[in-house]
């Protein structure tokens, strides 16, 4: 008698989107505005705190974050490889996506390029931008706006999804809500000062420090965080989606 293991129907209920970055060599010797966006995108993908499908839907390919339109073509943080040549500015035909040595991500076996033209205009982060109806633009979002929009939508998505998971981790939800509101408050306070918001300015650098200090963004499922509001409180980070492990059903065969 032989035992044969077959997959149950439950096992195939969840299959997450695959997102992976393709190997590349960086040619630029100096820091550029798109490098901080690239680093943040890579960090969020690596965190595995929200599903790749939600990450793609809410951030990487979301009009609220950035929407570029040229005639019949749309681009976002990610743009499909076959349309990147079409997404240029009207004024000088400047490529929105790196024409040589592009930053490429594979999404379910399809290649996308990460946006590389990000406006370096001296502008404060606009915390209200996500609440407004998106409009197609032909130049990339200002870098400080874009950084904040990505972080904000990531927290909002994580909290929304985490609240729908069975056996909610209320302690974790409270911690994440508190850290998110502290971030928003800190950005508002930065906006009140006369800072230089150019990518080489002190305002931009202080914003990067705020983002770098966010515990959630450096976390992975299972990581233990210290809740500084309670010196004796430790919190284990959970993913905001069900990780379905293969369930096996034993069938007896003669």
């Amino acid at each position: 008698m032989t035992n044969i293991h077959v997959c149950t129907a439950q096992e195939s209920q969840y299959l997450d989107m695959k997102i992976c970055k393709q190997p590349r060599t960086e040619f630029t010797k100096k820091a550029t505005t798109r490098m901080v966006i690239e680093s943040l995108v890579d960090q969020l993908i690596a965190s595995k705190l929200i599903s790749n499908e939600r990450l793609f839907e809410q951030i990487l390919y979301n009009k609220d974050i950035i929407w570029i339109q040229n005639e019949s073509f749309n681009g976002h943080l990610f743009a499909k490889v076959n349309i990147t040549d079409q997404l240029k500015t009207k004024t000088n035909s400047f490529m929105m996506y790196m024409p040589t040595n592009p930053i490429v991500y594979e999404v379910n076996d399809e290649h996308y390029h990460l946006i590389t033209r990000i406006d370096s205009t001296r502008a404060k982060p606009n915390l209200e931008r996500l609440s407004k109806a998106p409009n197609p633009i032909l130049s990339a979002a200002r870098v400080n706006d874009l950084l904040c929009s990505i972080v904000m939508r990531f927290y909002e998505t994580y909290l929304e999804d985490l609240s729908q998971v069975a056996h909610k981790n209320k302690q974790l939800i409270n911690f994440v809500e508190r850290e998110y509101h502290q971030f928003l408050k800190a950005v508002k306070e930065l906006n009140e000062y006369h800072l230089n918001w150019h990518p080489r300015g002190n305002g931009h650098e202080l914003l990067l420090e705020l983002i770098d200090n966010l515990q959630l963004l450096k976390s992975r499922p299972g990581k233990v965080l210290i809740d500084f509001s309670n010196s004796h409180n430790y919190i284990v980070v959970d993913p905001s989606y069900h990780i379905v492990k293969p369930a096996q059903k034993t069938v007896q065969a003669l």
Side-chain angles (χ1 to χ4, degrees):
M1 183 178 294
T2 305
N3 289 333
I4 301 174
H5 295 287
V6 297
C7 298
T8 64
Q10 181 181 5
E11 180 185 351
S12 60
Q13 286 179 357
Y14 180 82
L15 183 62
D16 198 11
M17 176 182 282
K18 184 182 73 171
I19 302 177
C20 59
K21 189 178 186 180
Q22 298 300 296
R24 68 185 294 275
T25 300
E26 179 57 62
F27 294 153
T28 306
K29 294 181 179 179
K30 61 181 180 179
T32 62
T33 53
R34 59 103 182 136
M35 285 180 175
V36 295
I37 303 299
E38 178 186 2
S39 177
L40 182 57
V41 166
D42 290 348
Q43 188 175 0
L44 300 188
I45 293 173
S47 75
K48 301 297 181 184
L49 294 181
I50 65 177
S51 70
N52 286 339
E53 184 175 359
R54 289 282 280 168
L55 183 63
F56 187 80
E57 167 193 290
Q58 294 295 312
I59 296 175
L60 304 178
Y61 209 70
N62 186 352
K63 289 182 178 181
D64 292 344
I65 301 297
I66 181 170
W67 180 24
I68 303 158
Q69 187 180 62
N70 191 340
E71 298 175 350
S72 59
F73 297 101
N74 286 334
H76 306 80
L77 273 177
F78 279 13
K80 293 181 180 180
V81 170
N82 62 341
I83 66 166
T84 54
D85 285 346
Q86 306 297 325
L87 295 167
K88 303 174 183 178
T89 59
K90 284 185 176 179
T91 54
N92 58 10
S93 296
F94 196 93
M95 293 287 292
M96 304 299 297
Y97 299 86
M98 195 179 293
T100 59
N101 192 29
I103 306 166
V104 182
Y105 294 80
E106 185 179 320
V107 181
N108 278 359
D109 301 321
E110 185 170 14
H111 285 181
Y112 289 76
H113 288 185
L114 177 70
I115 189 168
T116 51
R117 185 172 192 202
I118 300 167
D119 196 348
S120 59
T121 302
R122 294 172 175 82
K124 300 177 182 180
N126 179 4
L127 295 177
E128 287 71 44
R129 191 164 69 87
L130 284 177
S131 62
K132 298 177 180 179
N135 292 313
I137 56 175
L138 288 169
S139 61
R142 293 168 176 173
V143 63
N144 298 307
D145 267 7
L146 196 51
L147 284 165
C148 276
S149 297
I150 292 171
V151 171
M152 291 169 65
R153 184 50 54 88
F154 184 82
Y155 271 83
E156 291 170 3
T157 303
Y158 182 69
L159 285 168
E160 179 183 348
D161 293 0
L162 197 63
S163 67
Q164 297 175 11
V165 173
H167 309 295
K168 302 179 190 64
N169 187 336
K170 294 181 179 179
Q171 192 178 32
L172 175 60
I173 291 174
N174 291 338
F175 173 86
V176 174
E177 286 178 339
R178 187 162 54 251
E179 184 172 74
Y180 180 39
H181 290 305
Q182 288 171 348
F183 170 73
L184 296 179
K185 180 181 177 183
V187 174
K188 288 178 182 177
E189 289 175 354
L190 285 183
N191 281 345
E192 294 174 0
Y193 296 102
H194 295 289
L195 300 172
N196 181 356
W197 287 100
H198 188 273
R200 291 185 296 275
N202 56 355
H204 177 73
E205 289 299 321
L206 289 171
L207 177 61
L208 291 179
E209 286 181 21
L210 285 180
I211 294 173
D212 188 56
N213 288 332
L214 293 170
Q215 289 195 74
L216 182 69
L217 297 191
K218 294 180 178 179
S219 299
R220 302 286 190 278
K223 183 173 181 179
V224 177
L225 302 181
I226 300 174
D227 186 352
F228 291 105
S229 67
N230 184 343
S231 59
H232 302 290
N233 216 349
Y234 296 89
I235 298 169
V236 178
V237 178
D238 292 332
S240 61
Y241 56 100
H242 291 292
I243 299 177
V244 179
K245 296 180 179 180
Q248 292 183 328
K249 180 179 179 181
T250 301
V251 178
Q252 289 186 336
L254 296 177

